[in-house]
Structures are given as structure tokens and as C-alpha cells.
Amino acid sequence: MSSEENLTEHPRARYIMIGGFLGAGKTTAVGRLAQHLSDQGLRVGLITNDQGSGLVDTTMLRSRGFATAEIPGGCFCCRFQSLVEAAEQLTHANTPDVFIAEPVGSCTDLVATVSYPLRRIYGDRFEIAPLSVLVDPTRAMRVLGLDEGRRFSEKVTYIYLKQLEEADLMVINKIDSLEETQRKSLRTALEERFPTKKVLEVSARSGAGLEDWFALMTSEKQGSADTMEVDYEVYAEGEALLGWLNATLELRSEEAWDGNAWMTQFAAHAQSQLEEQRYEIAHLKMTLSPEDGLGDLAVINLIRNDFVPELSQTLPTNIQQAELIVNLRAEADPDALEAALRSALDAMNAGQGAINARLTHMEHFRPGKPEPTHRMEACP
Ligand SMILES: Nc1nc2c(ncn2[C@@H]2O[C@H](COP(=O)(O)OP(=O)(O)OP(=O)(O)O)[C@@H](O)[C@H]2O)c(=O)[nH]1
Ligand SMILES: [Mg+2]
């Protein structure tokens, strides 16, 4: 049976896409929204996406019990049919009332290449919500010149600003980390630069502001404005400046060890290796899953060089054997990312009571030129 036949058997499901640059808090927000909808008795299907495979985001969302389909090996826009098939796969599993999709954080032009094609080709199956674009305040303040800290180069910044330009809902996240004056000046700067946008303020971590945002995503339909112009040469060059590394390792030791402490130390070693070369980190994220089958997970994130690795989930007990997934995105040569990761591992292995680490998956590359399956500039 074709994917078209399968999907037509079911009523229209809402399709919500939460975009935003690397590290803005998309997966955190997706998990929050999925929980919010599940608590209301709705069935949710989540879709994750990456240029490579072996994804921290998928591992995290699945560990929380959400039905999650993964599209590895290319962005939604270039793998449009895989997106439709992922929805079909989830439909078979639990017939979601709502799909929540997280696009790759270095992607833009999602309205023209994903939302409008879904509406025009599969409008009888999906009701498309407004596109949300999440904003990490520190990153945004640097891009907009409100903060002096380090920033990405011009072409990566081009992608960042294009993401903001196409937002239906511009969502300042992490307001728990902001002073009142910073929050006001960021909001003012965004409203001045993008006067037609609806700007919201939330904290996916604390829950502040989420009710209003979730209400908009679950009730409003996306409008029909003409899409923005995108220079695909600059976009491709910007994407190619970002090095990508996905690795999976098996860790084991005779003695039980503290996985939270191990991962924190490992992230700190990787950070110092990258900082030595002055590579700008976009997001280093890792999960550590013990092989005891109980489903616990430790998660660590580092979202820029001048910050600290944050454990957002911890393991309750010591472990002996575990799988470590590493996803690293930085403005750097991918070979240099691999070298940094290997040096960080060497540093860990040089310590006392070393944990035996075996690499089971490693890919590191620069994303290729985006070549969307469809590009529709207007939608009825
Ligand atoms: N302080 C604070 N931190 C947050 C908030 N939301 C997310 N974070 C943190 O931001 C980091 C990145 O969050 P993710 O949800 O993984 O970000 P993402 O946009 O999915 O990242 P990519 O998938 O790599 O593009 C994590 O350390 C989160 O815990 C928030 O509201 N406040
Ligand atoms: Mg994510």
C-alpha cells in the first residue's frame, strides 16, 4: 500500500514544526509540548531530523516514552518524502492527533520547502500550525550586536537571520537566564528588526510562558504570506562552514562508576580542546545510556564556548556499562572536531580507574548544499 493510501484512511492531524538555531532549546520545547498534549489525552508523534545518524535528540525523546520517528542523513526540505513516510510510520504505530517536528538547527527556508508543500500536496492529511522559531537570547544578542561575545562568521549569521525572518512565531526562549533589562532590549531589537512578527517570551526549562505559546501552536493555522528570498549559494556556504560530528561509543569498566561525573569531565575536556583552536561551538550534546535496560539516561549540553556544560538529566546510580552518543556541531573543520574528541577521550583514559571506551560509530563532515525536493513561494 502506498504512503498516500495509508494516510488518507485517517483524519487530518495537526503538524507543528519548532525551528530555531542549534542549541536554541527545540528538543526541550518539543518534549514539553508533547507532554502537555499527552496530558490532555492527545496522541503525539515526534519527528527528529539530522544531517547524520545516531541522534541525541531521538534517544532523549524516546527515553521519555514518546513515539518518535527519525529522519537521518539530510534535512526535511531535501528529504521531503521521508518526512511524509515518517508521518505514515507514526500513523501506523499510534495514529497521532498531533505531529511535532524538529528541523535541523542549521536549516532555513522551511516554509517554502516543507510547510507549503505539505499544505499543497498533503493538505487533506495535515493541518499546518504557524512555524515557531526559537531564539537563544545570548546567541541572538550577539548576532544583533547587543552583546560583545564571540559570534559565528557572516555566512552562518546569514542562516541565523533567515531563520528569524521566516518565523510565524518568534519565541525568545530561556527567559529564566535573563535580567529584566536584557529581556526588554532583546525584545525591542527583534521587534524593530522584524516589525511584523509576533514575539513571545518563554522558558522551556521553567515552563514560563508556555501555555500561551502552546495555545497558538495548537489552535492557529499558518497564514499564506509569500515566502522570503534565499540566496542558496550563501546558505550552502554557511552550512558548509559548520562541522558536524556524530559518534557512538561503548563504555565499560570492572568497577561501577559515576556516569554523570564522567560525562561532565569528558565534555569539559572536549570544550578545552575546541577552545584552544578558537572554534565556535554551536552545540555539543551527549547522552549516556546504561545497558541495564531501565531507561535512565544522563544528558549534557554545551551551547557556546564561553559557557559551561550543563547536565539536564542525571543517572540516579553508578553504572558499569553504557552507550555514549556524541553530537557536536561547531564552526570548524570536521577533521578538527574528530581530533578534539579523540584528544578528550585520551585525556579521560589517562586518568585513574580509566573506563574502557570502544568507538562503534563515527561520522564527521560538512553538510552538503541544500537541494530541496519542492520549493513553493506561495500557498492558497
Ligand atoms: N536556561 C535555560 N536553558 C534551556 C531552556 N531550554 C533549553 N535549555 C537548554 O539549552 C540547551 C539546548 O537545548 P536543546 O533543547 O537540546 O536545543 P536544540 O535547539 O534542540 O539543539 P539542536 O537540536 O542541537 O539544534 C540544553 O542545555 C537545554 O537544557 C530554558 O528555557 N532555559
Ligand atoms: Mg534538538
Side-chain angles (χ1 to χ4, degrees):
M1 200 182 276
S2 74
S3 59
E4 298 200 4
E5 281 162 339
N6 281 332
L7 281 168
T8 42
E9 288 165 12
H10 302 288
R12 284 202 325 162
R14 181 158 274 260
Y15 175 85
I16 296 176
M17 196 153 51
I18 300 181
F21 201 72
L22 298 157
K26 299 179 292 297
T27 308
T28 312
V30 167
R32 278 279 196 167
L33 176 59
Q35 193 59 56
H36 170 82
L37 295 171
S38 301
D39 291 346
Q40 293 178 354
L42 291 165
R43 289 182 301 268
V44 294
L46 313 186
I47 307 177
T48 56
N49 181 216
D50 194 59
Q51 312 280 14
S53 60
L55 307 191
V56 161
D57 291 0
T58 312
T59 308
M60 270 174 72
L61 293 169
R62 283 188 181 151
S63 80
R64 296 183 53 193
F66 299 120
T68 308
E70 172 181 288
I71 303 180
C75 50
F76 287 154
C77 51
C78 306
R79 306 213 43 209
F80 182 82
Q81 214 47 42
S82 300
L83 177 61
V84 175
E85 282 161 17
E88 182 200 352
Q89 185 191 321
L90 289 164
T91 300
H92 275 304
N94 73 337
T95 332
D97 303 297
V98 183
F99 292 101
I100 313 172
E102 176 182 340
V104 181
S106 60
C107 259
T108 188
D109 208 22
L110 292 161
V111 174
T113 61
V114 180
S115 308
Y116 283 6
L118 277 178
R119 280 169 63 175
R120 289 180 68 159
I121 308 170
Y122 297 102
D124 54 337
R125 290 150 217 192
F126 301 109
E127 182 176 69
I128 310 295
L131 171 69
S132 294
V133 173
L134 274 184
V135 174
D136 174 286
T138 304
R139 195 57 87 188
M141 287 192 287
R142 291 180 184 181
V143 168
L144 298 171
L146 305 174
D147 182 296
E148 302 228 307
R150 290 236 305 266
R151 52 189 84 174
F152 295 113
S153 62
E154 207 180 308
K155 287 173 183 164
V156 178
T157 304
Y158 175 82
I159 298 174
Y160 191 97
L161 290 170
K162 280 288 160 191
Q163 289 182 343
L164 295 182
E165 189 183 334
E166 73 168 336
D168 294 315
L169 302 173
M170 195 177 281
V171 187
I172 303 173
N173 188 25
K174 312 190 187 182
I175 54 166
D176 58 285
S177 66
L178 288 181
E179 307 279 342
E180 184 65 9
T181 47
Q182 292 174 309
R183 192 180 62 70
K184 279 193 181 143
S185 69
L186 176 57
R187 186 185 185 100
T188 306
L190 287 170
E191 284 174 342
E192 277 174 9
R193 189 161 182 144
F194 304 99
T196 60
K197 302 286 173 201
K198 184 163 183 60
V199 178
L200 302 164
E201 296 171 15
V202 307
S203 168
R205 183 174 285 178
S206 76
L210 293 183
E211 284 278 329
D212 290 349
W213 177 34
F214 290 174
L216 289 170
M217 286 193 288
T218 50
S219 63
E220 301 268 303
K221 282 198 229 164
Q222 187 182 46
S224 295
D226 285 349
T227 57
M228 63 184 182
E229 284 178 16
V230 178
D231 183 332
Y232 266 75
E233 293 307 317
V234 181
Y235 176 15
E237 286 170 37
E239 278 227 278
L241 287 170
L242 292 166
W244 224 255
L245 178 147
N246 287 358
T248 306
L249 294 100
E250 257 178 33
L251 305 178
R252 64 173 72 206
S253 167
E254 293 295 309
E255 305 282 321
W257 42 286
D258 180 346
N260 305 316
W262 189 93
M263 203 161 62
T264 308
Q265 229 184 333
F266 180 55
H269 279 305
Q271 178 177 17
S272 69
Q273 291 293 327
L274 295 162
E275 180 55 20
E276 231 171 69
Q277 311 290 327
R278 308 276 298 165
Y279 296 133
E280 186 60 17
I281 295 170
H283 200 175
L284 166 62
K285 51 188 176 179
M286 300 191 247
T287 52
L288 188 65
S289 318
E291 295 192 349
D292 58 10
L294 296 178
D296 287 320
L297 199 68
V299 183
I300 200 161
N301 302 76
L302 174 67
I303 47 163
R304 54 177 197 274
N305 297 48
D306 55 358
F307 199 44
V308 287
E310 286 189 314
L311 274 171
S312 57
Q313 263 175 253
T314 53
L315 290 168
T317 53
N318 284 355
I319 53 175
Q320 262 185 293
Q321 192 172 335
E323 181 186 74
L324 177 77
I325 301 181
V326 184
N327 292 174
L328 169 59
R329 292 87 180 84
E331 185 162 355
D333 179 346
D335 291 339
L337 296 185
E338 190 203 5
L341 190 82
R342 287 187 187 276
S343 300
L345 264 182
D346 289 345
M348 294 302 289
N349 285 335
Q352 268 196 339
I355 316 293
N356 185 282
R358 189 172 71 86
L359 201 57
T360 55
H361 168 76
M362 162 67 84
E363 55 185 322
H364 52 98
F365 56 89
R366 293 182 189 281
K369 183 176 181 183
E371 286 175 350
T373 316
H374 303 284
R375 187 166 197 284
M376 298 178 180
E377 289 173 3
C379 200

